[in-house]
Every structure is written in C-alpha cells, then in structure tokens.
C-alpha cells in the first residue's frame, strides 16, 4: 500500500492534498455558517477565466486564477452590499460572468489539454512552484484563521451582533474574502475547478451531523477532509481514477452513510425509549387498575 510513496510526484500530491484538506474546510465552515455555500462554485468557475488568461499571457495559470478569483470575490461582496435583500444574486451574477469570460478566452488557448486539466484537477502533476504556492497559501490561511478565530465565529453566526460587539466586520470580511479566493484558486489546480466547492462543503456537512459546537464542527470537518483526501489519492492511484472526483465521491458517500446511520439510530432509539417508558409506567397502570 505504501509503494506510491516511492514516486516523487505522489509524495508531492500527498503533501499538497493534506495541506489543502486542512485549509479548505476551515474556509468552508465559515462559508457554510454564513449561508454562502455556493460561493465556492462561483469562485472556482471564475478562476477558469484566470487560467485561460494566464495561458494566453504566458504566465503561470495559477497566478492568473488567483488574480481573477480575488476580483470575483470582492465583486460578490460589493453586489451583496448593494442588494442586501437579494444577496444570493451576487453569486449567480459573478458565476455567469466568470463562465462567460472563461468560455470566450478558452477559445484562444492553443493547448486545450492544459486548460482542461484545471476542470477536474491534476494533483499528481503539480510543479515545484505550485507545490511551494500551496505551502505558502496554506500557512497564510491557517495563521489567519487562528488569529481571527473569534471574529470569524461571531461574523459567521450573526454579523449584526458582531458589529455591536465591536468587531471590525468589514475588515474581517475583506480578509476572509481574499483568503477564500486564494484558497479556491489554488485548490482548483490540484482538486479541480468543478469539484473544489464540494470539498469545501461536504466535509463541513459531515461534521455538522456529528458535532455539537462550532469548534467541534471545525475540527471534525478537517478530519473528514484529510481522511477523504488520503483515501481518495490511494484509491485513485490503484484504481486508475481521477483524484479530485474520487476524493469528492468518497466524501458524498460518507455523508450519505452518516445521515442513514443517524436516521436508523434515531428510529431505534425512539422506539427503545417508548418501550422503556411503557415499562416504567406499567406498575403505575397496574396500581391504578387495583
């Protein structure tokens, strides 16, 4: 099972996958609690426009994806403020613009195979520069999340209460928006632009089924993401599957199993509780009959 560690490209893939599996759920937890689960889709699809622009300009596509994702993330925040009653429109508008721009620019890209590799990811083919970029981004996101843990917690639950508590909501939202854009754009290269949002949401959804607090949700979401990534990389290597899609499918299957297990436990637990209550009430009923 450990023969894959003999290859340098698999060691790079495991390192990049583990780092992303740690930071993506950190961002995803806040995104889910802020009810912006689809922002990952918007930024990942918009990042494809940056990929195409990078290929056309002859620069690293990941850098192009980061630049365009940051612009898209800030645009979402601006539109949300302008249309507070219809804030979900901001995601739809940016997604539409990003997909349209990516479609137009991709028509001018000569190497379509390189562009297509960003759709479903190519974690086993990341370069040394991209691995270094993942390490730097992971360190920045992790340190920022730890330093802003309390502020992000307040804002995720209720921005109005956070503002009354003296938290600089605009500044924290700005920093978190940048972190989200950078994380999504970097992960789009390794996991894939079409599935990165799933890796942001699915581990958090699994954690929410079991956790009883925000802190437990964060910890469990990271553990789920790490386990999905490791098992997905091993399975994709031995079964010759795409790593990004395999990782996400494992997560979805685990989520379904957790929901089914909770439903079964709740059903049998409720039935056992009813039987126990009848047993406890039985002497009282008999006494009343006497």
């Amino acid at each position: 099972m450990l023969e894959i560690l003999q290859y340098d490209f698999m060691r790079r893939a495991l390192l990049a996958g583990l780092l992303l599996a740690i930071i993506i759920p950190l961002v995803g937890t806040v995104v889910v609690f802020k009810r912006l689960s689809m922002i990952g889709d918007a930024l990942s699809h918009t990042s494809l426009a940056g990929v195409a622009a990078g290929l056309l300009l002859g620069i690293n596509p990941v850098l192009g994806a980061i630049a365009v994702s940051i612009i898209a993330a800030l645009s979402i925040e601006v539109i949300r403020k302008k249309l507070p009653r219809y804030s979900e429109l901001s995601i739809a508008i940016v997604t539409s613009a990003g997909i349209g721009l990516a479609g137009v620019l991709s028509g001018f890209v000569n190497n379509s195979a390189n562009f297509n590799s960003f759709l479903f990811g190519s974690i086993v083919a990341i370069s040394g520069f991209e691995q270094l970029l993942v390490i730097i981004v992971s360190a920045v996101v992790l340190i920022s999340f730890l330093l802003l843990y309390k502020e992000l917690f307040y804002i995720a639950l209720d921005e109005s209460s956070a503002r009354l508590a003296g938290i600089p909501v605009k500044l924290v939202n700005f920093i978190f928006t940048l972190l989200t854009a950078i994380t999504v754009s970097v992960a789009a290269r390794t996991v894939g632009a079409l599935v990165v949002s799933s890796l942001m949401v699915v581990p958090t959804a699994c954690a929410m089924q079991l956790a009883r607090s925000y802190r437990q949700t964060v910890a469990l979401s990271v553990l789920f993401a790490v386990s999905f990534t490791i098992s997905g990389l091993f399975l994709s290597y031995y079964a010759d599957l795409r790593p990004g899609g395999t990782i996400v499918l494992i997560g979805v299957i685990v989520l379904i199993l957790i929901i089914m297990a909770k439903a079964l436990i709740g059903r049998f637990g409720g039935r056992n509780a009813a039987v126990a209550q009848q047993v406890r009430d039985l002497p009282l009923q008999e006494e009343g009959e006497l």
Side-chain angles (χ1 to χ4, degrees), residues 163-185:
R163 191 174 290 105
L164 292 175
I167 294 175
V169 174
K170 289 185 178 180
L171 177 61
V172 175
N173 273 333
F174 177 77
I175 296 174
F176 178 74
T177 300
L178 293 181
L179 295 178
T180 304
I182 295 172
T183 301
V184 170
S185 56

Side-chain angles (χ1 to χ4, degrees), residues 38 40-50 52 68 72 91-107 115 119 193-194:
M38 297 306 296
D41 271 326
L43 296 180
S44 59
H45 285 74
T46 305
S47 69
L48 292 174
V68 174
I91 296 178
I93 293 172
V94 172
T95 303
S96 301
I99 293 176
L101 185 59
V104 172
L105 294 179
S106 62
F115 178 79
L119 295 177
L194 299 182

Side-chain angles (χ1 to χ4, degrees), residues 215-231:
R215 181 172 299 179
Q216 289 183 7
T217 303
V218 173
L220 287 177
S221 63
V222 172
L223 290 177
F224 276 120
V226 169
S227 62
F228 297 159
T229 301
I230 294 176
S231 57

Side-chain angles (χ1 to χ4, degrees), residues 24-254:
I24 292 178
L26 297 181
V27 174
T29 303
V30 179
V31 166
V32 170
F33 275 86
K34 290 181 69 174
R35 289 165 177 79
L36 293 173
S37 300
M38 297 306 296
I39 194 173
D41 271 326
L43 296 180
S44 59
H45 285 74
T46 305
S47 69
L48 292 174
V51 171
L55 293 174
L56 288 174
L57 296 175
I59 62 176
N60 191 293
V62 177
L63 296 179
I66 291 175
V68 174
S69 295
I70 291 175
I71 296 174
L74 295 177
S75 299
I76 290 175
E77 283 298 314
V78 171
I79 298 174
R80 283 183 62 214
K81 300 302 181 184
K82 297 294 183 181
L83 301 172
R85 295 183 58 185
Y86 306 98
S87 58
E88 69 278 0
L89 282 177
S90 61
I91 296 178
I93 293 172
V94 172
T95 303
S96 301
I99 293 176
L101 185 59
V104 172
L105 294 179
S106 62
F108 298 97
V109 176
N110 295 325
N111 188 0
S112 60
N114 197 1
F115 178 79
N116 292 336
S117 67
F118 281 82
L119 295 177
F120 294 99
S122 183
I123 194 172
V124 296
I126 61 173
S127 63
F129 171 77
E130 291 167 348
Q131 183 184 33
L132 178 61
L133 195 60
V134 169
I135 294 174
I136 295 174
V137 169
S138 300
V140 171
V141 172
L142 183 59
I143 293 173
S144 301
F145 184 85
L146 293 176
L147 292 177
L148 298 174
Y149 178 83
K150 184 179 69 174
E151 288 79 1
L152 289 173
F153 169 69
Y154 274 109
I155 292 175
L157 294 183
D158 189 353
E159 286 194 7
S160 300
S161 299
R163 191 174 290 105
L164 292 175
I167 294 175
V169 174
K170 289 185 178 180
L171 177 61
V172 175
N173 273 333
F174 177 77
I175 296 174
F176 178 74
T177 300
L178 293 181
L179 295 178
T180 304
I182 295 172
T183 301
V184 170
S185 56
V186 172
R189 175 66 176 100
T190 55
V191 181
L194 299 182
V195 295
V196 63
S197 60
S198 302
L199 190 59
M200 183 180 292
V201 174
V202 173
T204 304
C206 293
M208 291 174 68
Q209 300 298 316
L210 304 176
R212 296 186 176 182
S213 66
Y214 176 80
R215 181 172 299 179
Q216 289 183 7
T217 303
V218 173
L220 287 177
S221 63
V222 172
L223 290 177
F224 276 120
V226 169
S227 62
F228 297 159
T229 301
I230 294 176
S231 57
L233 285 175
F234 272 81
L235 181 60
S236 63
Y237 174 80
Y238 288 103
D240 194 20
L241 302 171
R242 284 189 175 272
T246 305
I247 292 170
V248 172
L249 283 178
I250 291 175
V252 173
I253 292 172
V254 171

